[in-house]
mmCIF file with all atom_site columns, all heavy atoms in Angstrom:
data_model
loop_
_atom_site.group_PDB
_atom_site.id
_atom_site.type_symbol
_atom_site.label_atom_id
_atom_site.label_alt_id
_atom_site.label_comp_id
_atom_site.label_asym_id
_atom_site.label_entity_id
_atom_site.label_seq_id
_atom_site.pdbx_PDB_ins_code
_atom_site.Cartn_x
_atom_site.Cartn_y
_atom_site.Cartn_z
_atom_site.occupancy
_atom_site.B_iso_or_equiv
_atom_site.pdbx_formal_charge
_atom_site.auth_seq_id
_atom_site.auth_comp_id
_atom_site.auth_asym_id
_atom_site.auth_atom_id
_atom_site.pdbx_PDB_model_num
ATOM 1   N N   . ASN A 1 331 ? 8.374   11.962 0.668  1.00 0.00 ? 341 ASN A N   1
ATOM 2   C CA  . ASN A 1 331 ? 7.085   11.357 0.366  1.00 0.00 ? 341 ASN A CA  1
ATOM 3   C C   . ASN A 1 331 ? 6.826   11.502 -1.124 1.00 0.00 ? 341 ASN A C   1
ATOM 4   O O   . ASN A 1 331 ? 7.248   12.478 -1.744 1.00 0.00 ? 341 ASN A O   1
ATOM 5   C CB  . ASN A 1 331 ? 5.961   12.015 1.160  1.00 0.00 ? 341 ASN A CB  1
ATOM 6   C CG  . ASN A 1 331 ? 5.898   11.482 2.581  1.00 0.00 ? 341 ASN A CG  1
ATOM 7   O OD1 . ASN A 1 331 ? 5.549   10.327 2.809  1.00 0.00 ? 341 ASN A OD1 1
ATOM 8   N ND2 . ASN A 1 331 ? 6.275   12.314 3.535  1.00 0.00 ? 341 ASN A ND2 1
ATOM 9   N N   . ARG A 1 332 ? 6.134   10.509 -1.672 1.00 0.00 ? 342 ARG A N   1
ATOM 10  C CA  . ARG A 1 332 ? 5.719   10.597 -3.059 1.00 0.00 ? 342 ARG A CA  1
ATOM 11  C C   . ARG A 1 332 ? 4.242   10.970 -3.071 1.00 0.00 ? 342 ARG A C   1
ATOM 12  O O   . ARG A 1 332 ? 3.407   10.252 -2.520 1.00 0.00 ? 342 ARG A O   1
ATOM 13  C CB  . ARG A 1 332 ? 5.929   9.256  -3.765 1.00 0.00 ? 342 ARG A CB  1
ATOM 14  C CG  . ARG A 1 332 ? 5.777   9.342  -5.284 1.00 0.00 ? 342 ARG A CG  1
ATOM 15  C CD  . ARG A 1 332 ? 5.625   7.981  -5.896 1.00 0.00 ? 342 ARG A CD  1
ATOM 16  N NE  . ARG A 1 332 ? 4.351   7.392  -5.508 1.00 0.00 ? 342 ARG A NE  1
ATOM 17  C CZ  . ARG A 1 332 ? 4.004   6.122  -5.737 1.00 0.00 ? 342 ARG A CZ  1
ATOM 18  N NH1 . ARG A 1 332 ? 4.848   5.317  -6.329 1.00 0.00 ? 342 ARG A NH1 1
ATOM 19  N NH2 . ARG A 1 332 ? 2.831   5.660  -5.361 1.00 0.00 ? 342 ARG A NH2 1
ATOM 20  N N   . ILE A 1 333 ? 3.965   12.097 -3.683 1.00 0.00 ? 343 ILE A N   1
ATOM 21  C CA  . ILE A 1 333 ? 2.615   12.657 -3.638 1.00 0.00 ? 343 ILE A CA  1
ATOM 22  C C   . ILE A 1 333 ? 2.027   12.627 -5.045 1.00 0.00 ? 343 ILE A C   1
ATOM 23  O O   . ILE A 1 333 ? 2.531   13.288 -5.960 1.00 0.00 ? 343 ILE A O   1
ATOM 24  C CB  . ILE A 1 333 ? 2.661   14.118 -3.127 1.00 0.00 ? 343 ILE A CB  1
ATOM 25  C CG1 . ILE A 1 333 ? 3.355   14.179 -1.759 1.00 0.00 ? 343 ILE A CG1 1
ATOM 26  C CG2 . ILE A 1 333 ? 1.252   14.708 -3.081 1.00 0.00 ? 343 ILE A CG2 1
ATOM 27  C CD1 . ILE A 1 333 ? 3.803   15.579 -1.347 1.00 0.00 ? 343 ILE A CD1 1
ATOM 28  N N   . THR A 1 334 ? 0.971   11.858 -5.233 1.00 0.00 ? 344 THR A N   1
ATOM 29  C CA  . THR A 1 334 ? 0.307   11.821 -6.542 1.00 0.00 ? 344 THR A CA  1
ATOM 30  C C   . THR A 1 334 ? -0.332  13.170 -6.820 1.00 0.00 ? 344 THR A C   1
ATOM 31  O O   . THR A 1 334 ? -0.912  13.793 -5.926 1.00 0.00 ? 344 THR A O   1
ATOM 32  C CB  . THR A 1 334 ? -0.793  10.743 -6.555 1.00 0.00 ? 344 THR A CB  1
ATOM 33  O OG1 . THR A 1 334 ? -0.204  9.486  -6.233 1.00 0.00 ? 344 THR A OG1 1
ATOM 34  C CG2 . THR A 1 334 ? -1.470  10.664 -7.920 1.00 0.00 ? 344 THR A CG2 1
ATOM 35  N N   . VAL A 1 335 ? -0.226  13.624 -8.060 1.00 0.00 ? 345 VAL A N   1
ATOM 36  C CA  . VAL A 1 335 ? -0.859  14.879 -8.444 1.00 0.00 ? 345 VAL A CA  1
ATOM 37  C C   . VAL A 1 335 ? -2.299  14.597 -8.860 1.00 0.00 ? 345 VAL A C   1
ATOM 38  O O   . VAL A 1 335 ? -2.557  13.819 -9.782 1.00 0.00 ? 345 VAL A O   1
ATOM 39  C CB  . VAL A 1 335 ? -0.097  15.561 -9.592 1.00 0.00 ? 345 VAL A CB  1
ATOM 40  C CG1 . VAL A 1 335 ? -0.795  16.855 -9.998 1.00 0.00 ? 345 VAL A CG1 1
ATOM 41  C CG2 . VAL A 1 335 ? 1.343   15.834 -9.184 1.00 0.00 ? 345 VAL A CG2 1
ATOM 42  N N   . GLY A 1 336 ? -3.221  15.220 -8.144 1.00 0.00 ? 346 GLY A N   1
ATOM 43  C CA  . GLY A 1 336 ? -4.641  15.045 -8.442 1.00 0.00 ? 346 GLY A CA  1
ATOM 44  C C   . GLY A 1 336 ? -5.247  16.314 -8.996 1.00 0.00 ? 346 GLY A C   1
ATOM 45  O O   . GLY A 1 336 ? -4.583  17.070 -9.713 1.00 0.00 ? 346 GLY A O   1
ATOM 46  N N   . THR A 1 337 ? -6.504  16.541 -8.660 1.00 0.00 ? 347 THR A N   1
ATOM 47  C CA  . THR A 1 337 ? -7.182  17.766 -9.099 1.00 0.00 ? 347 THR A CA  1
ATOM 48  C C   . THR A 1 337 ? -6.661  18.960 -8.302 1.00 0.00 ? 347 THR A C   1
ATOM 49  O O   . THR A 1 337 ? -6.032  18.791 -7.255 1.00 0.00 ? 347 THR A O   1
ATOM 50  C CB  . THR A 1 337 ? -8.701  17.663 -8.850 1.00 0.00 ? 347 THR A CB  1
ATOM 51  O OG1 . THR A 1 337 ? -8.916  17.516 -7.437 1.00 0.00 ? 347 THR A OG1 1
ATOM 52  C CG2 . THR A 1 337 ? -9.304  16.463 -9.571 1.00 0.00 ? 347 THR A CG2 1
ATOM 53  N N   . LYS A 1 338 ? -6.977  20.146 -8.795 1.00 0.00 ? 348 LYS A N   1
ATOM 54  C CA  . LYS A 1 338 ? -6.573  21.369 -8.085 1.00 0.00 ? 348 LYS A CA  1
ATOM 55  C C   . LYS A 1 338 ? -7.135  21.362 -6.662 1.00 0.00 ? 348 LYS A C   1
ATOM 56  O O   . LYS A 1 338 ? -6.432  21.723 -5.706 1.00 0.00 ? 348 LYS A O   1
ATOM 57  C CB  . LYS A 1 338 ? -7.078  22.590 -8.882 1.00 0.00 ? 348 LYS A CB  1
ATOM 58  C CG  . LYS A 1 338 ? -6.751  23.935 -8.265 1.00 0.00 ? 348 LYS A CG  1
ATOM 59  C CD  . LYS A 1 338 ? -5.325  24.331 -8.548 1.00 0.00 ? 348 LYS A CD  1
ATOM 60  C CE  . LYS A 1 338 ? -5.004  25.784 -8.197 1.00 0.00 ? 348 LYS A CE  1
ATOM 61  N NZ  . LYS A 1 338 ? -5.816  26.490 -7.265 1.00 0.00 ? 348 LYS A NZ  1
ATOM 62  N N   . GLU A 1 339 ? -8.374  20.926 -6.503 1.00 0.00 ? 349 GLU A N   1
ATOM 63  C CA  . GLU A 1 339 ? -9.007  20.889 -5.181 1.00 0.00 ? 349 GLU A CA  1
ATOM 64  C C   . GLU A 1 339 ? -8.252  19.949 -4.246 1.00 0.00 ? 349 GLU A C   1
ATOM 65  O O   . GLU A 1 339 ? -8.012  20.275 -3.080 1.00 0.00 ? 349 GLU A O   1
ATOM 66  C CB  . GLU A 1 339 ? -10.473 20.429 -5.285 1.00 0.00 ? 349 GLU A CB  1
ATOM 67  C CG  . GLU A 1 339 ? -11.425 21.378 -6.014 1.00 0.00 ? 349 GLU A CG  1
ATOM 68  C CD  . GLU A 1 339 ? -11.136 21.502 -7.517 1.00 0.00 ? 349 GLU A CD  1
ATOM 69  O OE1 . GLU A 1 339 ? -10.796 20.475 -8.167 1.00 0.00 ? 349 GLU A OE1 1
ATOM 70  O OE2 . GLU A 1 339 ? -11.236 22.624 -8.049 1.00 0.00 ? 349 GLU A OE2 1
ATOM 71  N N   . GLN A 1 340 ? -7.888  18.784 -4.771 1.00 0.00 ? 350 GLN A N   1
ATOM 72  C CA  . GLN A 1 340 ? -7.136  17.830 -3.946 1.00 0.00 ? 350 GLN A CA  1
ATOM 73  C C   . GLN A 1 340 ? -5.785  18.403 -3.537 1.00 0.00 ? 350 GLN A C   1
ATOM 74  O O   . GLN A 1 340 ? -5.338  18.234 -2.404 1.00 0.00 ? 350 GLN A O   1
ATOM 75  C CB  . GLN A 1 340 ? -6.934  16.517 -4.714 1.00 0.00 ? 350 GLN A CB  1
ATOM 76  C CG  . GLN A 1 340 ? -8.198  15.704 -4.908 1.00 0.00 ? 350 GLN A CG  1
ATOM 77  C CD  . GLN A 1 340 ? -7.941  14.443 -5.720 1.00 0.00 ? 350 GLN A CD  1
ATOM 78  O OE1 . GLN A 1 340 ? -7.296  14.481 -6.771 1.00 0.00 ? 350 GLN A OE1 1
ATOM 79  N NE2 . GLN A 1 340 ? -8.440  13.317 -5.248 1.00 0.00 ? 350 GLN A NE2 1
ATOM 80  N N   . MET A 1 341 ? -5.154  19.095 -4.469 1.00 0.00 ? 351 MET A N   1
ATOM 81  C CA  . MET A 1 341 ? -3.838  19.671 -4.185 1.00 0.00 ? 351 MET A CA  1
ATOM 82  C C   . MET A 1 341 ? -3.949  20.784 -3.152 1.00 0.00 ? 351 MET A C   1
ATOM 83  O O   . MET A 1 341 ? -3.104  20.918 -2.270 1.00 0.00 ? 351 MET A O   1
ATOM 84  C CB  . MET A 1 341 ? -3.207  20.208 -5.484 1.00 0.00 ? 351 MET A CB  1
ATOM 85  C CG  . MET A 1 341 ? -2.870  19.138 -6.499 1.00 0.00 ? 351 MET A CG  1
ATOM 86  S SD  . MET A 1 341 ? -1.569  18.009 -5.931 1.00 0.00 ? 351 MET A SD  1
ATOM 87  C CE  . MET A 1 341 ? -2.521  16.614 -5.418 1.00 0.00 ? 351 MET A CE  1
ATOM 88  N N   . ASP A 1 342 ? -5.037  21.575 -3.243 1.00 0.00 ? 352 ASP A N   1
ATOM 89  C CA  . ASP A 1 342 ? -5.226  22.643 -2.258 1.00 0.00 ? 352 ASP A CA  1
ATOM 90  C C   . ASP A 1 342 ? -5.470  22.073 -0.867 1.00 0.00 ? 352 ASP A C   1
ATOM 91  O O   . ASP A 1 342 ? -4.998  22.625 0.124  1.00 0.00 ? 352 ASP A O   1
ATOM 92  C CB  . ASP A 1 342 ? -6.367  23.571 -2.696 1.00 0.00 ? 352 ASP A CB  1
ATOM 93  C CG  . ASP A 1 342 ? -5.891  24.561 -3.763 1.00 0.00 ? 352 ASP A CG  1
ATOM 94  O OD1 . ASP A 1 342 ? -4.685  24.912 -3.750 1.00 0.00 ? 352 ASP A OD1 1
ATOM 95  O OD2 . ASP A 1 342 ? -6.694  24.953 -4.629 1.00 0.00 ? 352 ASP A OD2 1
ATOM 96  N N   . LYS A 1 343 ? -6.180  20.942 -0.813 1.00 0.00 ? 353 LYS A N   1
ATOM 97  C CA  . LYS A 1 343 ? -6.400  20.275 0.478  1.00 0.00 ? 353 LYS A CA  1
ATOM 98  C C   . LYS A 1 343 ? -5.047  19.808 1.043  1.00 0.00 ? 353 LYS A C   1
ATOM 99  O O   . LYS A 1 343 ? -4.745  20.013 2.224  1.00 0.00 ? 353 LYS A O   1
ATOM 100 C CB  . LYS A 1 343 ? -7.357  19.085 0.282  1.00 0.00 ? 353 LYS A CB  1
ATOM 101 C CG  . LYS A 1 343 ? -7.403  18.085 1.403  1.00 0.00 ? 353 LYS A CG  1
ATOM 102 C CD  . LYS A 1 343 ? -8.321  18.487 2.537  1.00 0.00 ? 353 LYS A CD  1
ATOM 103 C CE  . LYS A 1 343 ? -8.423  17.338 3.568  1.00 0.00 ? 353 LYS A CE  1
ATOM 104 N NZ  . LYS A 1 343 ? -8.934  17.786 4.859  1.00 0.00 ? 353 LYS A NZ  1
ATOM 105 N N   . LEU A 1 344 ? -4.230  19.220 0.187  1.00 0.00 ? 354 LEU A N   1
ATOM 106 C CA  . LEU A 1 344 ? -2.904  18.768 0.618  1.00 0.00 ? 354 LEU A CA  1
ATOM 107 C C   . LEU A 1 344 ? -2.083  19.939 1.152  1.00 0.00 ? 354 LEU A C   1
ATOM 108 O O   . LEU A 1 344 ? -1.501  19.871 2.245  1.00 0.00 ? 354 LEU A O   1
ATOM 109 C CB  . LEU A 1 344 ? -2.159  18.119 -0.564 1.00 0.00 ? 354 LEU A CB  1
ATOM 110 C CG  . LEU A 1 344 ? -0.661  17.914 -0.335 1.00 0.00 ? 354 LEU A CG  1
ATOM 111 C CD1 . LEU A 1 344 ? -0.384  16.571 0.321  1.00 0.00 ? 354 LEU A CD1 1
ATOM 112 C CD2 . LEU A 1 344 ? 0.141   18.021 -1.619 1.00 0.00 ? 354 LEU A CD2 1
ATOM 113 N N   . ILE A 1 345 ? -2.054  21.017 0.371  1.00 0.00 ? 355 ILE A N   1
ATOM 114 C CA  . ILE A 1 345 ? -1.242  22.174 0.744  1.00 0.00 ? 355 ILE A CA  1
ATOM 115 C C   . ILE A 1 345 ? -1.719  22.758 2.079  1.00 0.00 ? 355 ILE A C   1
ATOM 116 O O   . ILE A 1 345 ? -0.910  23.064 2.965  1.00 0.00 ? 355 ILE A O   1
ATOM 117 C CB  . ILE A 1 345 ? -1.283  23.236 -0.386 1.00 0.00 ? 355 ILE A CB  1
ATOM 118 C CG1 . ILE A 1 345 ? -0.545  22.700 -1.622 1.00 0.00 ? 355 ILE A CG1 1
ATOM 119 C CG2 . ILE A 1 345 ? -0.666  24.553 0.072  1.00 0.00 ? 355 ILE A CG2 1
ATOM 120 C CD1 . ILE A 1 345 ? -0.915  23.400 -2.925 1.00 0.00 ? 355 ILE A CD1 1
ATOM 121 N N   . THR A 1 346 ? -3.035  22.867 2.243  1.00 0.00 ? 356 THR A N   1
ATOM 122 C CA  . THR A 1 346 ? -3.596  23.393 3.491  1.00 0.00 ? 356 THR A CA  1
ATOM 123 C C   . THR A 1 346 ? -3.190  22.520 4.672  1.00 0.00 ? 356 THR A C   1
ATOM 124 O O   . THR A 1 346 ? -2.746  23.027 5.718  1.00 0.00 ? 356 THR A O   1
ATOM 125 C CB  . THR A 1 346 ? -5.140  23.431 3.402  1.00 0.00 ? 356 THR A CB  1
ATOM 126 O OG1 . THR A 1 346 ? -5.493  24.215 2.264  1.00 0.00 ? 356 THR A OG1 1
ATOM 127 C CG2 . THR A 1 346 ? -5.752  24.034 4.646  1.00 0.00 ? 356 THR A CG2 1
ATOM 128 N N   . GLU A 1 347 ? -3.307  21.210 4.507  1.00 0.00 ? 357 GLU A N   1
ATOM 129 C CA  . GLU A 1 347 ? -2.980  20.318 5.629  1.00 0.00 ? 357 GLU A CA  1
ATOM 130 C C   . GLU A 1 347 ? -1.480  20.339 5.936  1.00 0.00 ? 357 GLU A C   1
ATOM 131 O O   . GLU A 1 347 ? -1.094  20.299 7.092  1.00 0.00 ? 357 GLU A O   1
ATOM 132 C CB  . GLU A 1 347 ? -3.463  18.889 5.357  1.00 0.00 ? 357 GLU A CB  1
ATOM 133 C CG  . GLU A 1 347 ? -4.981  18.736 5.285  1.00 0.00 ? 357 GLU A CG  1
ATOM 134 C CD  . GLU A 1 347 ? -5.729  19.281 6.504  1.00 0.00 ? 357 GLU A CD  1
ATOM 135 O OE1 . GLU A 1 347 ? -5.114  19.430 7.588  1.00 0.00 ? 357 GLU A OE1 1
ATOM 136 O OE2 . GLU A 1 347 ? -6.931  19.583 6.362  1.00 0.00 ? 357 GLU A OE2 1
ATOM 137 N N   . VAL A 1 348 ? -0.650  20.401 4.899  1.00 0.00 ? 358 VAL A N   1
ATOM 138 C CA  . VAL A 1 348 ? 0.799   20.491 5.146  1.00 0.00 ? 358 VAL A CA  1
ATOM 139 C C   . VAL A 1 348 ? 1.093   21.771 5.916  1.00 0.00 ? 358 VAL A C   1
ATOM 140 O O   . VAL A 1 348 ? 1.839   21.775 6.910  1.00 0.00 ? 358 VAL A O   1
ATOM 141 C CB  . VAL A 1 348 ? 1.595   20.462 3.815  1.00 0.00 ? 358 VAL A CB  1
ATOM 142 C CG1 . VAL A 1 348 ? 3.058   20.815 4.056  1.00 0.00 ? 358 VAL A CG1 1
ATOM 143 C CG2 . VAL A 1 348 ? 1.493   19.090 3.155  1.00 0.00 ? 358 VAL A CG2 1
ATOM 144 N N   . ARG A 1 349 ? 0.471   22.867 5.496  1.00 0.00 ? 359 ARG A N   1
ATOM 145 C CA  . ARG A 1 349 ? 0.697   24.151 6.167  1.00 0.00 ? 359 ARG A CA  1
ATOM 146 C C   . ARG A 1 349 ? 0.286   24.053 7.634  1.00 0.00 ? 359 ARG A C   1
ATOM 147 O O   . ARG A 1 349 ? 1.020   24.476 8.529  1.00 0.00 ? 359 ARG A O   1
ATOM 148 C CB  . ARG A 1 349 ? -0.099  25.253 5.443  1.00 0.00 ? 359 ARG A CB  1
ATOM 149 C CG  . ARG A 1 349 ? 0.315   26.652 5.863  1.00 0.00 ? 359 ARG A CG  1
ATOM 150 C CD  . ARG A 1 349 ? -0.343  27.726 5.003  1.00 0.00 ? 359 ARG A CD  1
ATOM 151 N NE  . ARG A 1 349 ? 0.223   27.797 3.664  1.00 0.00 ? 359 ARG A NE  1
ATOM 152 C CZ  . ARG A 1 349 ? -0.498  27.812 2.529  1.00 0.00 ? 359 ARG A CZ  1
ATOM 153 N NH1 . ARG A 1 349 ? -1.821  27.760 2.575  1.00 0.00 ? 359 ARG A NH1 1
ATOM 154 N NH2 . ARG A 1 349 ? 0.101   27.886 1.361  1.00 0.00 ? 359 ARG A NH2 1
ATOM 155 N N   . ASN A 1 350 ? -0.882  23.451 7.904  1.00 0.00 ? 360 ASN A N   1
ATOM 156 C CA  . ASN A 1 350 ? -1.349  23.306 9.288  1.00 0.00 ? 360 ASN A CA  1
ATOM 157 C C   . ASN A 1 350 ? -0.407  22.447 10.120 1.00 0.00 ? 360 ASN A C   1
ATOM 158 O O   . ASN A 1 350 ? -0.117  22.758 11.271 1.00 0.00 ? 360 ASN A O   1
ATOM 159 C CB  . ASN A 1 350 ? -2.753  22.674 9.306  1.00 0.00 ? 360 ASN A CB  1
ATOM 160 C CG  . ASN A 1 350 ? -3.797  23.638 8.754  1.00 0.00 ? 360 ASN A CG  1
ATOM 161 O OD1 . ASN A 1 350 ? -3.573  24.852 8.701  1.00 0.00 ? 360 ASN A OD1 1
ATOM 162 N ND2 . ASN A 1 350 ? -4.930  23.100 8.321  1.00 0.00 ? 360 ASN A ND2 1
ATOM 163 N N   . ILE A 1 351 ? 0.071   21.363 9.515  1.00 0.00 ? 361 ILE A N   1
ATOM 164 C CA  . ILE A 1 351 ? 0.978   20.461 10.236 1.00 0.00 ? 361 ILE A CA  1
ATOM 165 C C   . ILE A 1 351 ? 2.273   21.186 10.600 1.00 0.00 ? 361 ILE A C   1
ATOM 166 O O   . ILE A 1 351 ? 2.777   21.084 11.721 1.00 0.00 ? 361 ILE A O   1
ATOM 167 C CB  . ILE A 1 351 ? 1.271   19.199 9.383  1.00 0.00 ? 361 ILE A CB  1
ATOM 168 C CG1 . ILE A 1 351 ? 0.012   18.327 9.292  1.00 0.00 ? 361 ILE A CG1 1
ATOM 169 C CG2 . ILE A 1 351 ? 2.431   18.397 9.954  1.00 0.00 ? 361 ILE A CG2 1
ATOM 170 C CD1 . ILE A 1 351 ? 0.058   17.266 8.194  1.00 0.00 ? 361 ILE A CD1 1
ATOM 171 N N   . LEU A 1 352 ? 2.796   21.960 9.648  1.00 0.00 ? 362 LEU A N   1
ATOM 172 C CA  . LEU A 1 352 ? 4.054   22.679 9.917  1.00 0.00 ? 362 LEU A CA  1
ATOM 173 C C   . LEU A 1 352 ? 3.846   23.749 10.974 1.00 0.00 ? 362 LEU A C   1
ATOM 174 O O   . LEU A 1 352 ? 4.698   23.968 11.839 1.00 0.00 ? 362 LEU A O   1
ATOM 175 C CB  . LEU A 1 352 ? 4.596   23.299 8.618  1.00 0.00 ? 362 LEU A CB  1
ATOM 176 C CG  . LEU A 1 352 ? 5.058   22.303 7.544  1.00 0.00 ? 362 LEU A CG  1
ATOM 177 C CD1 . LEU A 1 352 ? 5.603   23.051 6.314  1.00 0.00 ? 362 LEU A CD1 1
ATOM 178 C CD2 . LEU A 1 352 ? 6.094   21.325 8.069  1.00 0.00 ? 362 LEU A CD2 1
#
Side-chain angles (χ1 to χ4, degrees):
N341 280 291
R342 191 195 68 190
I343 304 164
T344 303
V345 179
T347 62
K348 179 79 169 21
E349 293 68 39
Q350 290 178 312
M351 294 294 101
D352 281 331
K353 164 83 174 162
L354 166 89
I355 292 160
T356 303
E357 294 306 339
V358 169
R359 193 172 287 131
N360 291 340
I361 290 165
L362 294 181

